[in-house]
Amino acid sequence: MHRSFFCKQFALAAWLLAGAAPAINLQRINGPFVLPAESNLPPETAVIAESLDIAGGAEDDVFLLATGAGSLRQPAGAGNINLQGEFGNDVWAWGRRINLDGIVNDHARLGGFSIAIHGQVRGNALLAANNIHLARPAILAGDAQLFGENVICEGAVTGRLTIVAGKATLAGRCEGDVVVKAGDMVILPGAMINGNLDYWSPQAVTLPDQAAVKGKFRRHKPPTVKPVNKIMAAMPMAIWGYLSSLFAGLLFVLCCPITAAGAGSAVRHAPGRSALAGLLWMAGAPGLALLLTLSIVGLPAGLLLAVFTVILIYLGKIVMALALGLLLIRPVRLLNRRGLIGRTALGLGIIQVAAFPVSPVMIWLL
């Protein structure tokens, strides 16, 4: 359910940012963005800045992105978004820390590392962050979906409340049903839920005497899956992984047969030197790409280096499969594309079978 909900929200965001882009008033600020209390944002405005401090308001939708400073040492407040005014429609915001002290008259879609709500959201709210805190003055008038590692609800929620978190703390008031999926859930004295409370947690939760749930208070345990059922459930993903890797390997071998044969032979005859080259690249390329991206002049080069690194990571699996196939089936003097494809398919099958009962990431890293 939550995966489908995320897909719908992401598709809506992509449509708004891509399909409706010509109607959006984009403001790119090199530095902090400050909107005084007596000012208003134009309709359909998107603001990208180092940080945003909005004490004014907006009559229509706003899209806010706090990028932080373009340096390794971030100044105080970089990446923060402070919303203190009144917004007439939806608010979409992404930043390191988001503080909502104002009023959102429609929906709020907020994401980042830390989100603190002291104001009001009169529509639905979707919050995704590592730490989410609904303070006691906070009021969420519609449905609320909270996704985070540590979620604390001390405010009031009028609609349905859904929490998916590592640790969830309920201490406020909710007029509708509450659904919680968390590794640890705590209900503090003073919590009031007028609807049902359904929760999924490894441990049972006790209801304090000073807290009340007027509806049903139900704990749901995840269904136990037998090992055979786990294997059967993982089979479609394993088959998809093999076919997708085989398709990428076919393109690589057909387009670059000499490069593929040379790389597979190098791994087969000099595995230590090949592993050392891969480790050196993985140790240096991401950091260099990050440094280039943070600078203004090196941004295109940093992005190209990052994309090239991702391509090399994926091709490493195909090259290892080809080397394994060459090791098992002795190569002839003149190896054609057909032979390379057959050995690649064999090697990918062995890798997929080896990764099936364990973590595929470990096999990929090897």
Side-chain angles (χ1 to χ4, degrees), residues 185-325:
M185 188 179 82
V186 178
I187 301 177
L188 298 181
M192 177 65 67
I193 299 174
N194 290 325
N196 301 324
L197 174 56
D198 294 271
Y199 72 96
W200 285 257
S201 180
Q203 299 178 353
V205 177
T206 58
L207 188 65
D209 296 335
Q210 295 81 7
V213 177
K214 295 185 178 181
K216 296 181 179 180
F217 183 52
R218 297 172 292 198
R219 179 194 178 195
H220 303 271
K221 294 182 179 180
T224 57
V225 181
K226 297 180 180 180
V228 177
N229 294 335
K230 288 183 178 180
I231 294 177
M232 295 302 297
M235 280 294 293
M237 185 59 66
I239 296 174
W240 175 85
Y242 173 76
L243 294 178
S244 61
S245 300
L246 180 60
F247 182 73
L250 290 176
L251 292 179
F252 179 53
V253 171
L254 291 176
C255 296
C256 309
I258 299 178
T259 303
S265 300
V267 174
R268 177 173 175 264
H269 295 291
R273 188 169 58 185
S274 300
L276 180 60
L279 289 175
L280 291 177
W281 181 272
M282 290 302 300
L288 180 60
L290 178 61
L291 291 176
L292 290 174
T293 304
L294 292 176
S295 64
I296 298 177
V297 179
L299 178 60
L303 294 177
L304 289 175
L305 181 60
V307 173
F308 185 65
T309 302
V310 174
I311 294 175
L312 284 184
I313 292 175
Y314 192 84
L315 288 180
K317 178 181 178 180
I318 298 174
V319 171
M320 282 297 299
L322 178 58
L324 186 59

Side-chain angles (χ1 to χ4, degrees), residues 46-232:
V47 182
I48 304 176
E50 175 185 312
S51 61
L52 298 98
D53 192 350
I54 300 179
E59 298 179 359
D60 211 333
D61 298 338
V62 291
F63 307 88
L64 309 175
L65 174 61
T67 59
S71 61
L72 294 178
R73 182 173 296 178
Q74 299 286 318
N80 295 352
I81 299 178
N82 297 316
L83 305 175
Q84 302 174 2
E86 183 173 355
F87 303 88
N89 214 330
D90 295 347
V91 174
W92 300 70
W94 179 272
R96 180 173 177 81
R97 290 182 176 86
I98 300 178
N99 299 313
L100 175 59
D101 296 318
I103 300 175
V104 178
N105 287 299
D106 210 335
H107 306 314
R109 306 287 185 260
L110 312 179
F113 178 79
S114 176
I115 297 176
I117 307 293
H118 296 82
Q120 300 182 27
V121 178
R122 295 175 178 173
N124 297 332
L126 172 63
L127 311 180
N130 191 60
N131 298 306
I132 299 176
H133 182 204
L134 297 183
R136 292 190 180 276
I139 299 177
L140 304 183
D143 296 339
Q145 292 83 27
L146 312 181
F147 302 88
E149 178 63 27
N150 186 22
V151 177
I152 301 175
C153 296
E154 296 179 315
V157 179
T158 303
R160 178 186 176 93
L161 175 61
T162 302
I163 299 176
V164 179
K167 181 178 180 181
T169 303
L170 301 178
R173 183 182 184 90
C174 186
E175 301 294 338
D177 296 335
V178 177
V179 176
V180 179
K181 294 185 178 182
D184 185 17
M185 188 179 82
V186 178
I187 301 177
L188 298 181
M192 177 65 67
I193 299 174
N194 290 325
N196 301 324
L197 174 56
D198 294 271
Y199 72 96
W200 285 257
S201 180
Q203 299 178 353
V205 177
T206 58
L207 188 65
D209 296 335
Q210 295 81 7
V213 177
K214 295 185 178 181
K216 296 181 179 180
F217 183 52
R218 297 172 292 198
R219 179 194 178 195
H220 303 271
K221 294 182 179 180
T224 57
V225 181
K226 297 180 180 180
V228 177
N229 294 335
K230 288 183 178 180
I231 294 177
M232 295 302 297

Side-chain angles (χ1 to χ4, degrees), residues 16-35:
L16 285 172
L17 295 179
I24 293 179
N25 178 24
L26 178 61
Q27 298 185 19
R28 181 66 172 90
I29 309 298
N30 294 323
F33 176 81
V34 179
L35 184 70

